[in-house]
Amino acid sequence: MRKIQAQGVHHITLTGADRQTSIDFWEGVLGMPFVFDQPNLDNPDEGHLYFDPGDGRLITIFTNETRKADRRRTPTEPGCVHHLAFNVSRASFTQAAERLEARGIGHSGVKDRGFMDSIYFKDPLGMLIELATYKFEPPVGCTHADVMILAHKLRVERGDYNIQEVHLADAIEQLVEECQSSLSQDRSAKNPF
């Protein structure tokens, strides 16, 4: 059977509490510009707020002024969202713990994930949020996923437990060799010296 080919996340919609709680968190804490709002077209009792998470796509929140924020952890049973992860620059990541603490927001501290670093905390409604920063930049013309696929293959070949920086470095080197020309690799080129 033929696939329906996805080409990226279009948007993620969450059920929020009141309007101001959403604005204060998504724009106030995470710096996502509040792009627009309108009624929830499927429920006239709710608002629908739209935020830009930094890549021009959307995070949207259904709001209702009768709902109140509840910081208890959201459900994690099968079918539930475990957490949302957002990419941040290394410069922003190094400031995250301090800036969360300044707002009185508890967090996990920095977690080394081998190919990235992460920090976790809850939004005002108990949703686990992750801020993540890669430990590498992909070669020009390649994506993070290209590097990760190759790093995974190298990790498995070597029998290593998880992806580490050595796998990333070796994957990047291999991708550059495969994708970029070099005079020293061109056997038909004559040595000008």
Side-chain angles (χ1 to χ4, degrees), residues 56-90:
R57 298 182 193 281
L58 298 169
I59 297 288
T60 79
I61 315 293
F62 289 143
T63 62
N64 184 307
E65 295 308 304
T66 65
R67 294 194 295 248
K68 300 297 172 214
D70 181 352
R71 293 192 64 86
R72 289 180 293 175
R73 179 70 169 100
T74 54
T76 57
E77 287 82 27
C80 295
V81 173
H82 186 273
H83 70 276
L84 293 178
F86 296 102
N87 185 44
V88 295
S89 71
R90 174 62 60 183

Side-chain angles (χ1 to χ4, degrees), residues 7-87:
Q7 293 182 269
V9 173
H10 186 280
H11 71 277
I12 295 170
T13 299
L14 303 171
T15 301
D18 59 286
R19 185 176 195 274
Q20 196 60 50
T21 296
S22 295
I23 294 169
D24 289 348
F25 180 74
W26 295 99
E27 184 171 50
V29 175
L30 294 181
M32 296 182 185
F34 181 24
V35 181
F36 72 98
D37 68 340
Q38 64 183 22
N40 176 351
L41 300 180
D42 296 319
N43 182 348
D45 295 329
E46 292 184 332
H48 197 177
L49 281 56
Y50 293 75
F51 298 89
D52 178 351
D55 61 2
R57 298 182 193 281
L58 298 169
I59 297 288
T60 79
I61 315 293
F62 289 143
T63 62
N64 184 307
E65 295 308 304
T66 65
R67 294 194 295 248
K68 300 297 172 214
D70 181 352
R71 293 192 64 86
R72 289 180 293 175
R73 179 70 169 100
T74 54
T76 57
E77 287 82 27
C80 295
V81 173
H82 186 273
H83 70 276
L84 293 178
F86 296 102
N87 185 44

Side-chain angles (χ1 to χ4, degrees), residues 3 52 54 57 167 184 191:
K3 299 176 188 175
D52 178 351
R57 298 182 193 281
H167 305 114
S184 66
N191 186 347

